[in-house]
Amino acid sequence: MTGYDSLGGNGGGPSSTSGAVCHWLKHMKLYRVVLIVVFCLLSLPFVFYNLLVHEESNVQHSDIHRTRSQLFTFEDVSPLKAADLKLRIDEMLRMKGTVSLELRDLESRRQKLQSDIGLYNQKIDELKQELARQQTELDRLKISVEQAQVAQREAVLRNTPELALPRALFSDTLPAQMRPIDAAHSRSCKMSTCFDHSRCSLTSGFPVYLYDPDTTSVVSAGYDIDGFLKTTIKQTLGYNAHLTTDPKKACVFLVLVGEALSEHEVQKSNRYVAPQGAADGSGAPNLSSLNVTRLRLLPYWGGDGRNHVLLNFARREVGPGAGNMLQGQGMDTGRAMLVQSSFEESQFRVGFDLIAPPILGPPGGDVWQECAPMLPARRKYLLSFQGELLGQNGSMVGPRGTDDTESDTVDEFIIEHLKEMSSGRTQDYFMLQFECVPATEQRAPSGLRDWSLCGTDNSRKSVLKESTFALLLAPGGGSTSSTLLQARLYEALRAGAIPLVLGGDQVQLPYAETIDWRRVVISLPKARITELHFLLRAIPDADLLTMRRQGRLVWERYLSSVQSTVDTIVASLRSRLGIPPKPIPSVIAHSVFNSSFVPLKSDPVIDTEPEESLGPIEPPYPSPAFRRNYTATLVQSREMWNDWADPFALYPQLPFDPVLPSDAKFIGSHMGFRPIGKGAGGTGKEFGESLGGNYPREQFTIVILTYEREQVLMDSLSRLYGLPYLHKVIVVWNSPKPPLEDLRWPDIGVPVHVVRAPRNSLNNRFLPFDAIETEAVLSVDDDAHLRHDEILFGFRVWREHRDRVVGFPGRFHAWDVNSLDSWNYNSNYSCELSMVLTGAAFIHKYYTYLYTYTLPQAIRDKVDEYMNCEDIAMNFLVSHVTRKPPVKVTSRWTFRCPGCPVSLSEDDTHFQERHKCINFFTKVFGYTPLLNTQYRADSILFKTRIPHDKQKCFKFI
């Protein structure tokens, strides 16, 4: 009772309720529990059924199908439909399979439609691109038609026949016999009074005839012409393009009259002897060596010797009376011109006679080994001189002469002041020697005062190579030029010592009519001796090196060898008459194919991407050639002789041709010009229609050097299709094996000439082929990939910098900071460059002639030795001639050629060889002509905001 009360006393709490349930379940029978569970299971379906029926009545009409499907689903699983469940499942599986098939069919059809839509869209895009390309092509054709109409109108306006050659001024006969002139008339000869111009037509080519010195002698009995001179003069003149063997056509007749030697001396001089070996006082013509009677008996003398040139060369400058003058003491040479190194002031006929240096060099060939480096600007000795004064009677005159003449006083004062200047009271060093030790055996010509040469050629050369200036004292005794003075000039220029001529106001230097000696020599009157040291110290390094470079250029081209001397004499005489030189020979472009073989052609690969109109389609238009034959030697004679140093040949065009003023394109000189917008200017559209610029219209030639990479070459050629302003393509086939006969060459719309190279050499890249008919030459590697807009932009830039290398890959020469005495070739990215590689660069054809005919052979040999460095050599050459750096265009720094074989430039030895090339070329030139530049060229409107209705010059440049 107590426990029960206790539970009941909790009054219905949770503990009492759960306890009561547990107590009730314990006393409940098991069957009752089973009955309750069965009842719940049986009543549950009916409860769900009632709920579904009630829900179905409440849904909207739009949901009736969904409700019915739910009911059917319920019925399917209903125990009342269990018998039909298997059939229902089979039916549903069959329906599922059918639907899956239909869905797969629909999906395939959808994919096919999508593919068709993609193809149609692609076709539409292609048609749009083709439309744009055709529209661009149509625009180009319209421009081309307009340009052709302009060219036609110009041709109609010109309407003149080709310029015919003038009638020859002479008959094809020998010189007529004339009465000899007296000595007084001979001493006053001028070109207008003593020269027969009728034999020298402007179109004659200046034919020169040489009397054979082996069969024609004009010297007295007991004498003969030096054997070395006879041999070398004949040989070197044989190389000259003006030499003729027909005396009837000759303009001038050359007679070799010296150096004449006695019979005993002839036996010792039948071979070439270096100048330093002639210190024995032997050998030079004296006045009695020339036989005037024999001279007048020359077969073409014509009685008075008109148009004859007497060559009196001095080869051994240290002999007694070396280079003695032919005219003097009554020597009668008629109307003949004299060429020699010594002249009296009263006998030298200015503008008629010609001063030539003594023959001191080799017959010909490279002479750069004889020269000293140009650097440093200031050498050990500020001034040097080695000589001894020779008196009027042939005796030595010491530093303190005993004669009381004015000349002796001046010379004594000069010597004393020079000694005082070098006495050691200054930081400058001098090498001044006024007495020869050991004593010299030289003698001055009778009646003349001159300064002998002390020591040997090698000893003097060693001193001059360490001298900034070389002192040249003017000869006395009324001489305007002497062999000894010319020899000093020759040696000073060879060693890079700047000649200082004291008494220069009375001295005539060689070829003074054409060579601007003011850029080479410092000429002072003797009265300036007290200001000499001040003047020498006042000259800056830049001027020192400029004069030294100019002096070496003059020495190499005009004085260094027998060949240069002979060529310069002929060119000087021709220049007097205003006759142009012979055209420089081009290299004949022999086709690699046999004459009967026709290479297979393939259809061009057309780029479907639309581009802006880059230029009109023009027929081939070669650059006009040889238009300034008679004016270049007049207008630019000084530049030709002193800047370009090449007056010996006539070039088709020059990169230095003068430019017309802007208004000349519209007033009187409009022929060939294609100004932008017909002169009104414009942006991209007008820019693409015309070439514009400061020069008449022109085209360019592409030169591709290739070696056994046929497919790479074909790909490169294919990309050139449709390139505006392209004249033709020259493929230099460097391989000894000809192209495959089944090789298909792409048709790119312009001629493609495949030229057989004489041998495998990188120098073939710059051969002046006759097939190149344009001034502009684009040198390209066979694996270089350039877009059309890049090529045309480079072409437009080159037209404004015709004398420079204009191209894409930039490189520079870097100082070796470790060795501190050499250069390195560097291809790293840099903000400063000095070279543009000719694997993708524009150059003027003029430089291909210089590279082939003027560049020292040692450089071309080094290119063949390394099979490398031809591009460096071309950059050296152009910078040497112009003293300007190259011009880089666009942002390209290198080229990539996917799929190309490994090139030579990827080998480490390639860079090592290029280091060596730069230093070797520097040694040959005497200095490094490369100059640095810190900018590149881009089009004017590049990265410039312009109105939407305007176009840029180039989209990507």
Side-chain angles (χ1 to χ4, degrees):
M1 292 295 291
T2 302
Y4 180 79
D5 291 339
S6 175
L7 288 172
N10 288 329
S15 299
S16 60
T17 303
S18 60
V21 172
C22 292
H23 178 75
W24 179 75
L25 290 174
K26 288 180 181 180
H27 294 83
M28 185 179 291
K29 299 298 183 179
L30 181 60
Y31 72 92
R32 293 181 180 177
V33 175
V34 173
L35 290 175
I36 294 173
V37 172
V38 170
F39 176 78
C40 291
L41 292 174
L42 292 175
S43 60
L44 186 60
F46 295 97
V47 173
F48 281 116
Y49 179 78
N50 291 330
L51 291 174
L52 290 173
V53 172
H54 184 268
E55 182 68 17
E56 184 178 3
S57 63
N58 293 331
V59 297
Q60 299 295 328
H61 183 269
S62 61
D63 297 329
I64 186 170
H65 297 290
R66 181 176 56 84
T67 304
R68 287 181 177 178
S69 65
Q70 292 176 354
L71 180 60
F72 292 157
T73 302
F74 177 77
E75 291 178 351
D76 288 342
V77 299
S78 173
L80 300 178
K81 301 292 185 177
D84 299 330
L85 182 60
K86 185 176 184 302
L87 295 175
R88 181 71 65 175
I89 291 174
D90 293 339
E91 182 180 358
M92 294 298 295
L93 290 174
R94 187 171 62 255
M95 294 174 61
K96 177 182 177 183
T98 304
V99 171
S100 297
L101 291 175
E102 293 178 355
L103 290 176
R104 282 196 293 270
D105 183 59
L106 290 174
E107 179 64 20
S108 64
R109 292 172 62 188
R110 186 185 67 83
Q111 291 179 356
K112 184 176 182 303
L113 290 174
Q114 288 183 342
S115 177
D116 292 342
I117 292 173
L119 292 175
Y120 287 127
N121 287 334
Q122 182 180 356
K123 187 67 175 177
I124 291 173
D125 294 338
E126 291 177 355
L127 291 175
K128 288 181 178 179
Q129 293 177 358
E130 180 67 16
L131 177 62
R133 193 183 68 82
Q134 293 291 348
Q135 185 63 44
T136 303
E137 197 73 13
L138 179 60
D139 294 340
R140 292 177 61 184
L141 289 174
K142 290 180 179 179
I143 299 172
S144 302
V145 170
E146 294 177 359
Q147 299 285 9
Q149 292 173 346
V150 173
Q152 182 184 16
R153 288 195 297 269
E154 290 178 348
V156 172
L157 290 176
R158 188 179 292 114
N159 195 24
T160 55
E162 290 295 327
L163 184 64
L165 294 177
R167 183 175 60 87
L169 299 180
F170 64 94
S171 58
D172 193 11
T173 59
L174 296 174
Q177 288 292 326
M178 303 290 289
R179 187 176 61 182
I181 61 174
D182 56 23
H185 190 185
S186 176
R187 284 194 295 270
S188 61
C189 269
K190 300 178 182 179
M191 293 295 293
S192 58
T193 60
C194 293
F195 191 84
D196 183 7
H197 288 79
S198 65
R199 298 196 61 86
C200 304
S201 171
L202 288 176
T203 59
S204 64
F206 192 65
V208 174
Y209 179 85
L210 173 67
Y211 287 97
D212 189 349
D214 291 327
T215 59
T216 304
S217 177
V218 294
V219 296
S220 302
Y223 290 89
D224 195 6
I225 304 297
D226 179 75
F228 169 77
L229 279 179
K230 289 197 295 186
T231 302
T232 54
I233 294 300
K234 289 175 61 176
Q235 181 181 5
T236 53
L237 264 177
Y239 296 141
N240 194 290
H242 297 281
L243 183 67
T244 182
T245 58
D246 187 358
K248 295 181 180 180
K249 297 181 179 180
C251 171
V252 297
F253 300 84
L254 303 181
V255 186
L256 184 60
V257 299
E259 181 176 60
L261 307 177
S262 66
E263 293 180 352
H264 173 69
E265 294 164 339
V266 168
Q267 297 176 0
K268 299 190 300 180
S269 62
N270 284 331
R271 59 186 179 87
Y272 171 64
V273 181
Q276 64 262 28
D280 58 354
S282 64
N286 55 41
L287 294 177
S288 61
S289 65
L290 180 64
N291 191 313
V292 177
T293 302
R294 290 187 178 183
L295 193 66
R296 292 176 178 175
L297 292 177
L298 290 173
Y300 316 118
W301 185 255
D304 56 0
R306 61 191 181 280
N307 290 37
H308 276 62
V309 180
L310 306 183
L311 303 177
N312 181 28
F313 292 118
R315 182 165 77 91
R316 298 189 287 178
E317 79 284 359
V318 294
N324 206 350
M325 296 165 285
L326 289 182
Q327 196 177 64
Q329 296 185 0
M331 181 66 66
D332 184 11
T333 58
R335 287 191 168 99
M337 290 183 280
L338 302 182
V339 177
Q340 57 189 18
S341 55
S342 294
F343 276 100
E344 293 181 4
E345 185 176 1
S346 60
Q347 300 296 334
F348 179 65
R349 297 167 293 186
V350 179
F352 191 74
D353 294 329
L354 190 65
I355 297 177
I359 302 297
L360 303 178
D366 283 356
V367 293
W368 62 270
Q369 301 96 329
E370 299 291 326
C371 300
M374 297 188 194
L375 279 297
R378 300 185 183 275
R379 298 174 174 176
K380 178 180 178 180
Y381 301 117
L382 179 63
L383 181 67
S384 69
F385 178 81
Q386 292 177 289
E388 188 170 1
L389 184 60
L390 303 176
Q392 291 181 341
N393 58 359
S395 62
M396 311 296 178
V397 177
R400 296 180 181 270
T402 58
D403 296 335
D404 293 332
T405 62
E406 180 180 356
S407 178
D408 292 334
T409 305
V410 173
D411 289 340
E412 182 178 356
F413 176 76
I414 290 175
I415 294 173
E416 291 298 332
H417 186 80
L418 289 173
K419 287 185 175 182
E420 180 182 356
M421 188 173 63
S422 61
S423 61
R425 291 182 295 177
T426 174
Q427 61 180 357
D428 296 319
Y429 293 96
F430 298 86
M431 176 58 183
L432 301 177
Q433 179 184 349
F434 299 104
E435 292 182 358
C436 294
V437 180
T440 179
E441 297 182 7
Q442 301 167 39
R443 298 291 184 270
S446 177
L448 297 181
R449 296 169 55 86
D450 207 350
W451 292 87
S452 67
L453 299 172
C454 293
T456 64
D457 180 73
N458 285 334
S459 65
R460 295 191 298 271
K461 183 190 295 185
S462 62
V463 173
L464 290 171
K465 285 184 176 181
E466 294 184 333
S467 304
T468 304
F469 297 94
L471 180 63
L472 280 67
L473 294 174
S479 176
T480 189
S481 176
S482 71
T483 302
L484 291 172
L485 177 72
Q486 303 299 339
R488 287 187 182 278
L489 177 67
Y490 174 96
E491 293 181 353
L493 295 178
R494 178 185 61 183
I498 299 173
L500 171 63
V501 182
L502 200 57
D505 51 343
Q506 67 186 59
V507 170
Q508 290 283 345
L509 296 179
Y511 318 122
E513 299 175 38
T514 51
I515 297 178
D516 188 359
W517 286 105
R518 293 174 300 176
R519 299 170 57 181
V520 180
V521 173
I522 298 177
S523 181
L524 297 175
K526 293 181 179 180
R528 297 286 186 195
I529 184 63
T530 58
E531 303 170 308
L532 179 60
H533 193 188
F534 168 79
L535 175 63
L536 298 183
R537 290 295 303 272
I539 301 176
D541 289 359
D543 290 334
L544 288 177
L545 292 175
T546 299
M547 296 185 71
R548 186 173 296 160
R549 172 186 173 274
Q550 188 68 18
R552 173 163 173 168
L553 183 147
V554 168
W555 181 83
E556 287 183 335
R557 298 295 286 162
Y558 307 127
L559 311 177
S560 60
S561 65
V562 181
Q563 184 73 62
S564 62
T565 300
V566 170
D567 290 343
T568 305
I569 290 172
V570 174
S572 298
L573 298 175
R574 176 186 49 75
S575 181
R576 280 183 183 176
L577 301 174
I579 300 176
K582 292 278 190 177
I584 192 166
S586 297
V587 175
I588 299 176
H590 296 286
S591 176
V592 74
F593 303 111
N594 296 327
S595 58
S596 60
F597 177 74
V598 178
L600 300 177
K601 294 288 186 178
S602 63
D603 294 333
V605 178
I606 300 176
D607 188 2
T608 58
E609 295 183 4
E611 295 184 355
E612 70 269 33
S613 178
L614 298 174
I617 301 174
E618 297 179 329
Y621 179 75
S623 298
F626 299 107
R627 290 294 184 91
R628 304 182 63 234
N629 299 347
Y630 304 98
T631 54
T633 55
L634 299 176
V635 178
Q636 294 175 299
S637 176
R638 285 290 177 180
E639 293 85 351
M640 185 179 297
W641 280 85
N642 299 279
D643 293 334
W644 319 328
D646 195 11
F648 307 114
L650 182 65
Y651 292 89
Q653 307 94 4
L654 290 171
F656 318 106
D657 288 341
V659 183
L660 289 172
S662 298
D663 45 0
K665 294 181 288 188
F666 309 99
I667 306 175
S669 302
H670 63 280
M671 294 294 183
F673 285 95
R674 301 293 184 267
I676 304 298
K678 299 181 180 180
T683 54
K685 181 179 182 299
E686 296 79 11
F687 180 77
E689 294 176 353
S690 303
L691 196 55
N694 302 312
Y695 293 88
R697 68 185 181 111
E698 59 184 329
Q699 297 175 347
F700 61 91
T701 302
I702 293 181
V703 176
I704 302 177
L705 186 71
T706 187
Y707 184 88
E708 296 184 359
R709 298 202 294 186
E710 288 84 354
Q711 190 54 52
V712 174
L713 174 64
M714 297 304 108
D715 294 342
S716 297
L717 290 174
S718 298
R719 289 191 292 266
L720 300 178
Y721 175 79
L723 178 60
Y725 306 115
L726 177 60
H727 183 259
K728 68 174 64 171
V729 178
I730 307 293
V731 177
V732 182
W733 194 265
N734 242 11
S735 173
K737 297 185 297 185
L740 299 176
E741 293 186 359
D742 59 349
L743 187 64
R744 292 188 172 272
W745 296 81
D747 185 1
I748 60 174
V750 298
V752 177
H753 293 266
V754 187
V755 179
R756 182 177 67 252
R759 58 190 178 90
N760 183 19
S761 172
L762 293 180
N763 292 313
N764 296 334
R765 181 193 298 274
F766 303 124
L767 289 177
F769 292 110
D770 56 355
I772 301 176
E773 301 178 282
T774 60
E775 296 185 58
V777 178
L778 174 58
S779 174
V780 180
D781 286 339
D782 57 1
D783 58 355
H785 188 175
L786 289 171
R787 302 193 312 266
H788 286 193
D789 58 340
E790 292 176 313
I791 295 176
L792 292 182
F793 177 68
F795 176 53
R796 289 178 180 269
V797 173
W798 174 87
R799 296 184 75 238
E800 300 180 22
H801 304 277
R802 310 173 75 88
D803 59 340
R804 298 159 79 172
V805 180
V806 177
F808 300 88
R811 301 293 185 265
F812 64 99
H813 64 303
W815 187 247
D816 190 339
V817 296
N818 295 320
S819 67
L820 298 179
D821 62 352
S822 62
W823 293 102
N824 286 334
Y825 172 83
N826 201 313
S827 62
N828 296 328
Y829 294 106
S830 172
C831 294
E832 191 173 65
L833 59 90
S834 58
M835 292 177 283
V836 167
L837 303 187
T838 54
F842 283 93
I843 58 174
H844 197 284
K845 187 183 178 182
Y846 169 75
Y847 294 118
T848 64
Y849 289 108
L850 296 189
Y851 187 96
T852 303
Y853 299 124
T854 305
L855 192 69
Q857 182 63 39
I859 292 182
R860 295 192 296 272
D861 291 342
K862 185 64 67 175
V863 170
D864 287 335
E865 176 186 348
Y866 288 151
M867 206 63 179
N868 198 346
C869 305
E870 84 287 356
D871 47 0
I872 300 177
M874 178 57 78
N875 278 271
F876 264 70
L877 174 64
V878 176
S879 294
H880 173 67
V881 173
T882 64
R883 303 304 300 131
K884 297 177 183 179
V887 177
K888 173 175 170 45
V889 294
T890 77
S891 60
R892 275 192 184 269
W893 194 261
T894 186
F895 294 99
R896 300 296 180 190
C897 181
C900 294
V902 177
S903 62
L904 295 175
S905 61
E906 297 181 9
D907 189 358
D908 182 62
T909 59
H910 171 80
F911 289 93
Q912 298 300 325
E913 291 169 351
R914 293 172 85 80
H915 300 331
K916 297 176 183 178
C917 284
I918 291 181
N919 292 289
F920 178 75
F921 296 167
T922 296
K923 184 178 179 181
V924 174
F925 279 92
Y927 74 115
T928 306
L930 299 177
L931 295 173
N932 294 319
T933 181
Q934 298 179 353
Y935 80 95
R936 77 172 190 225
D938 292 305
S939 63
I940 292 179
L941 296 180
F942 181 62
K943 290 189 176 181
T944 300
R945 295 181 180 275
I946 60 175
H948 296 292
D949 59 338
K950 301 293 183 181
Q951 298 178 7
K952 291 193 174 184
C953 311
F954 295 93
K955 285 185 178 180
F956 308 107
I957 300 176

